[in-house]
Amino acid sequence: MGALIAYNLVRLEMAKAAIEAKAQPTDLSFIRALHLIQYELLFAAATRAYGNIPGKLKRLRQQLKEALKEERRGRQCPRNVKSRPSRYDVRYVLKKPK
């Protein structure tokens, strides 16, 4: 359950950063955003001055907006939907001509 909440929070932060940058949320890599958020939250957890956390969150969103400007390389191979193999072999019986 915690992983689902974390996933949705990362997606929400990506969407907010994309809206501020006037871009599509899909232009930002989920893994890149996750790593940025993890990095910032590790330092936010280690700080003793809790008044600095809003500033760190602003910096996080700024970094996400900068990540939107980076050029992403395309996929190495396109996604293909493969047909599912049948569970049983199919045996075809040829009718003999009369």
Side-chain angles (χ1 to χ4, degrees):
M1 187 65 148
L4 184 62
I5 292 171
Y7 172 82
N8 285 326
L9 288 174
V10 170
R11 286 288 182 193
L12 178 67
E13 199 59 37
M14 287 172 61
K16 287 181 179 180
I19 288 170
E20 286 183 14
K22 294 182 174 72
Q24 294 294 323
T26 55
D27 293 342
L28 183 61
S29 166
F30 178 80
I31 297 298
R32 172 89 169 128
L34 179 65
H35 289 176
L36 282 171
I37 291 170
Q38 282 178 336
Y39 181 77
E40 285 297 321
L41 289 180
L42 283 173
F43 282 104
T47 186
R48 296 192 186 274
Y50 295 116
N52 294 341
I53 291 178
K56 290 181 188 265
L57 293 176
K58 277 186 182 179
R59 187 174 68 197
L60 166 71
R61 190 155 307 156
Q62 184 64 33
Q63 287 177 344
L64 285 173
K65 286 193 285 188
E66 289 173 10
L68 278 167
K69 295 175 187 174
E70 292 176 3
E71 191 67 32
R72 289 178 61 193
R73 60 188 172 109
R75 291 188 183 276
Q76 296 296 327
C77 17
R79 290 187 177 176
N80 292 329
V81 178
K82 296 181 180 178
S83 63
R84 188 172 181 170
S86 65
R87 191 170 176 179
Y88 303 103
D89 290 338
V90 178
R91 185 172 155 184
Y92 294 101
V93 179
L94 296 176
K95 292 185 179 180
K96 295 181 183 178
K98 291 184 178 182

